[in-house]
Amino acid sequence: MIAKISGGKDTAGLIRYLYGPGRANEHTDPHLVASFDGFAPDPGRANTPVSTRRLLVADLNLRVNQARRLGRTPKQQVWHCSIRAAGEDRHLSDTEWADIARRIVAATGIAPEDDADGCRWVAVRHADDHIHIAATTVRGDLRPARHWNDYLTADSELAAIEKEYSLRRVIRGDRTAAKRPTRAEVEQSHRANQPATARERLRCAVRTAVAASTSAEEFLGLLGDADGVLVEAQCFPSGDVRGYKVALEGDTNAAGQPIWFSGSKLAPDLSFPKIRARLTNVTPLSLGQQKHLRRAPWHRAADAAERIPHHLDQTDDRAAQAHLAAFGEALDALPLLAPQALRPQLRRAATAFERATRSRIRAEDHHALALRRAVRTMLRDPASAGDGAALAMFLDIAVLVAIAATRWHQLHCHDQQVAATRQTLRHLETCYAQAAAAPLTDLASRCPDQRTVNRQIRRIRRVVPEHADRVVEDDAFNALAATLAQAEATGHDTERALQQAIEQRPLDDVRYPAQVLIWRLQRLNAGADTSSPARAAQAHGSAPGTPVLGRNARYPSKAATPATTHKATTRPDGPRR
């Protein structure tokens, strides 16, 4: 069950709406199910509904009028709470809805139990799945009702009601979610044939700009360069920026003025002070600094992301929250680096995970600088992604991070974040399957001769005997054999590399073990390449430049050739299952 609470000044207007046809003739059979004394007149069951409605308004306004004569009327004397059950819940009877209404007005402080001076209220039902509670907030002693935090107390009571009535348990948040679009915004987006509201599109644009920026000043510049986004900085008298607001071109009010949203109205973590704090010390490494690094930015990003599950298993919750926020920024940046066909699905993954990047735990962002720096370096030279294998490698790790994030949020009872990570996981698995298809096909086409394949099989059985059959039977085994042969040809100890791959990422619950080993081996081989030409090539591919906001990242494509099948029906070590 969910509750929506609002306030107002017009008791007659609210009652007229509740007993009227509704905005779209959705009100059917409106009638009273409960009231403050059990004897309130019911216009829905009276022969003279108009006059009975006036009587009901007079009863509700009795104390309001008394307080008005004494000059003690609250600014908003009308309290309105709608309570809706889930679509799959059973239809509750009028008696059950009446009990729910009494519990809600008692829990919120409108009419506490056994309080003779409680406010006057009525509960009106005009549909099977919801009721409306209308109350005036003047008590019998003519003092205003004490109903602070009424939404939270109502939500807590509804959670107990769901359990007692065996109703659907609603996933409840921790007040860190982004504000939902209003009904007017949703209807406006439908009229404009837009898949998302202006608020949601602006939130996506701001998050993408944050993911690509290295300073608050660069953030404002990149956001101003985004297509269709209007930006206005707000400054102190000294000239220092104190905030910003954004609008979409063409999104105007009745006066023709842009509809502006401040960062904090888009999401709690998108206010300017919080963005500025997150962007401290995330400047990408200079070209001179990168020359001393052996690993390309994609591999550094993958290494940093792969350590996130370990960080989530530690006791430092603030550091864990920081790593989740940094991973969210990485997902925000991926659509700028991916082929066009993958971008919609990646954006959906980033949008879903956005909810999982915030909780009541305050993040200490300095713990996640490695991933943030690597992502911003990639954005300044997207060509470093190569033929798309790097993206598939990162997505392979991203799936693990999403699983670990789900477990971490579950342990902390973050229900909404758990739902968000599960949705993210589905999107990431789809993205990985699409991104990995071409690189794996290309690798499989380089599968060595049968003699080499058999040698690799024997090596796998020695290193990982408990998982050898699953690895060999994996459809990506030919690609794994090609990876091992390539590593062997360049002088690497493939048996040792396999052992390291297994130690760093166990295969117990892995669905496609050969693919896991491929991406792990590629990163290990890249890190082991200490030749001067390799270091120079990596440093050149990681040079800082301009973020790719608004540009298409291109990947050199190779013709996908059918995989050559070298796996024999019978192996030297036994029959294939």
Side-chain angles (χ1 to χ4, degrees):
M1 282 187 162
I2 58 175
K4 181 179 180 181
I5 298 175
S6 58
K9 300 180 180 180
D10 187 5
T11 309
L14 176 57
I15 296 300
R16 185 166 53 249
Y17 165 74
L18 294 181
Y19 281 95
R23 294 189 179 94
N25 294 319
E26 72 274 20
H27 295 180
T28 59
D29 188 26
H31 60 279
L32 227 61
V33 294
S35 66
F36 62 96
D37 63 356
F39 299 102
D42 184 4
R45 293 290 185 265
N47 295 327
T48 56
V50 175
S51 59
T52 306
R53 193 168 63 213
R54 294 196 191 102
L55 290 175
L56 178 59
V57 172
D59 282 357
L60 291 174
N61 276 342
L62 176 64
R63 294 168 179 172
V64 174
N65 294 331
Q66 292 173 337
R68 183 176 291 115
R69 289 196 293 270
L70 299 175
R72 297 166 60 178
T73 308
K75 291 182 179 180
Q76 288 190 324
Q77 71 269 18
V78 178
W79 186 84
H80 176 206
C81 175
S82 60
I83 305 172
R84 184 178 298 273
E88 61 268 29
D89 284 339
R90 62 183 177 84
H91 288 175
L92 301 174
S93 66
D94 283 356
T95 302
E96 290 173 317
W97 276 119
D99 177 61
I100 292 170
R102 294 187 186 96
R103 293 177 62 169
I104 293 300
V105 294
T108 55
I110 293 296
E113 192 174 359
D114 298 328
D115 184 355
D117 287 329
C119 299
R120 296 193 163 200
W121 60 274
V122 294
V124 179
R125 179 181 188 180
H126 47 54
D128 289 331
D129 62 349
H130 71 279
I131 61 170
H132 293 262
I133 303 174
T136 49
T137 58
V138 178
R139 292 168 43 84
D141 52 14
L142 301 188
R143 292 185 302 169
R146 300 173 62 89
H147 59 94
W148 295 289
N149 291 325
D150 49 10
Y151 174 77
L152 295 180
T153 53
D155 197 53
S156 177
E157 187 65 24
L158 287 176
I161 290 172
E162 290 167 353
K163 184 176 180 180
E164 294 177 23
Y165 281 78
S166 300
L167 304 176
R168 175 189 169 186
R169 307 290 292 274
V170 173
I171 297 175
R172 288 179 161 81
D174 53 8
R175 303 183 72 183
T176 61
K179 185 177 180 180
R180 292 182 179 180
T182 65
R183 179 174 179 176
E185 291 172 354
V186 173
E187 291 177 351
Q188 183 179 9
S189 66
H190 287 168
R191 289 194 299 269
N193 198 26
Q194 292 289 346
T197 64
R199 186 191 301 269
E200 293 168 323
R201 291 154 62 193
L202 286 169
R203 183 161 59 240
C204 179
V206 171
R207 288 184 61 85
T208 303
V210 171
S213 303
T214 59
S215 67
E217 294 73 22
E218 186 181 21
F219 159 72
L220 292 175
L222 291 176
L223 191 58
D225 292 337
D227 294 337
V229 177
L230 305 175
V231 184
E232 185 175 303
Q234 299 166 319
C235 301
F236 292 108
S238 62
D240 296 332
V241 178
R242 67 178 178 87
Y244 71 98
K245 58 182 181 179
V246 289
L248 285 181
E249 291 181 356
D251 184 33
T252 59
N253 55 23
Q257 299 297 319
I259 300 176
W260 295 97
F261 296 87
S262 65
S264 59
K265 293 297 183 182
L266 297 177
D269 58 341
L270 295 183
S271 66
F272 189 75
K274 291 186 178 180
I275 289 175
R276 182 166 50 197
R278 287 163 62 188
L279 295 181
T280 303
N281 299 325
V282 295
T283 304
L285 301 178
S286 66
L287 180 59
Q289 292 172 315
Q290 297 218 28
K291 287 181 178 179
H292 298 287
L293 296 176
R294 296 181 300 170
R295 301 177 72 74
W298 274 94
H299 289 101
R300 296 203 305 274
D303 289 343
E306 193 168 35
R307 289 192 292 270
I308 291 179
H310 169 74
H311 293 306
L312 297 182
D313 287 336
Q314 305 306 306
T315 57
D316 191 344
D317 287 341
R318 291 190 174 188
Q321 185 65 61
H323 285 287
L324 292 178
F327 181 67
E329 291 180 13
L331 294 184
D332 290 329
L334 285 185
L336 302 175
L337 299 164
Q340 190 69 37
L342 282 175
R343 292 180 185 178
Q345 192 71 243
L346 285 172
R347 287 194 183 96
R348 285 191 282 271
T351 300
F353 195 77
E354 182 258 349
R355 180 65 190 96
T357 60
R358 293 186 303 273
S359 72
R360 302 297 291 182
I361 299 172
R362 183 176 179 179
E364 293 181 347
D365 294 309
H366 65 275
H367 288 285
L369 290 181
L371 179 57
R372 285 191 165 102
R373 283 175 171 166
V375 168
R376 283 154 177 80
T377 302
M378 293 189 306
L379 287 170
R380 279 154 175 77
D381 188 5
S384 61
D387 60 357
L391 175 62
M393 173 186 63
F394 186 87
L395 289 174
D396 176 61
I397 297 171
V399 169
L400 283 184
V401 176
I403 295 173
T406 302
R407 182 174 63 250
W408 187 81
H409 281 304
Q410 283 177 327
L411 291 174
H412 290 79
C413 300
H414 299 161
D415 294 340
Q416 287 188 353
Q417 290 87 335
V418 169
T421 53
R422 287 173 175 167
Q423 185 179 4
T424 304
L425 179 60
R426 291 192 293 269
H427 292 308
L428 288 177
E429 288 176 336
T430 302
C431 291
Y432 168 75
Q434 296 176 5
L440 290 176
T441 300
D442 182 65
L443 278 172
S445 68
R446 306 175 195 173
C447 187
D449 57 75
Q450 187 64 51
R451 181 180 176 182
T452 303
V453 169
N454 292 339
R455 185 171 67 252
Q456 305 296 0
I457 293 175
R458 290 193 294 271
R459 182 172 288 124
I460 291 171
R461 292 192 182 279
R462 284 195 302 271
V463 174
V464 54
E466 66 275 19
H467 298 293
D469 289 339
R470 292 177 57 229
V471 172
V472 173
E473 299 298 328
D474 194 323
D475 290 339
F477 176 77
N478 287 334
L480 174 60
T483 303
L484 289 170
Q486 183 180 9
E488 191 175 37
T490 54
H492 290 104
D493 185 343
T494 54
E495 194 159 325
R496 180 183 176 188
L498 271 172
Q499 187 63 46
Q500 289 178 326
I502 297 299
E503 290 174 354
Q504 296 185 26
R505 184 169 174 183
L507 301 179
D508 296 331
D509 55 354
V510 171
R511 187 183 303 177
Y512 303 112
Q515 296 183 34
V516 169
L517 292 175
I518 288 169
W519 308 125
R520 166 60 66 178
L521 289 169
Q522 289 200 355
R523 291 203 305 284
L524 289 174
N525 292 342
D529 189 354
T530 58
S531 63
S532 297
R535 289 199 304 270
Q538 291 176 8
H540 177 72
S542 305
T546 303
V548 293
L549 279 173
R551 296 187 298 171
N552 292 330
R554 298 186 176 223
Y555 287 80
S557 59
K558 295 183 179 180
T561 55
T564 304
T565 303
H566 285 292
K567 293 188 289 185
T569 305
T570 304
R571 303 290 189 190
D573 301 277
R576 177 183 178 185
R577 290 189 298 175

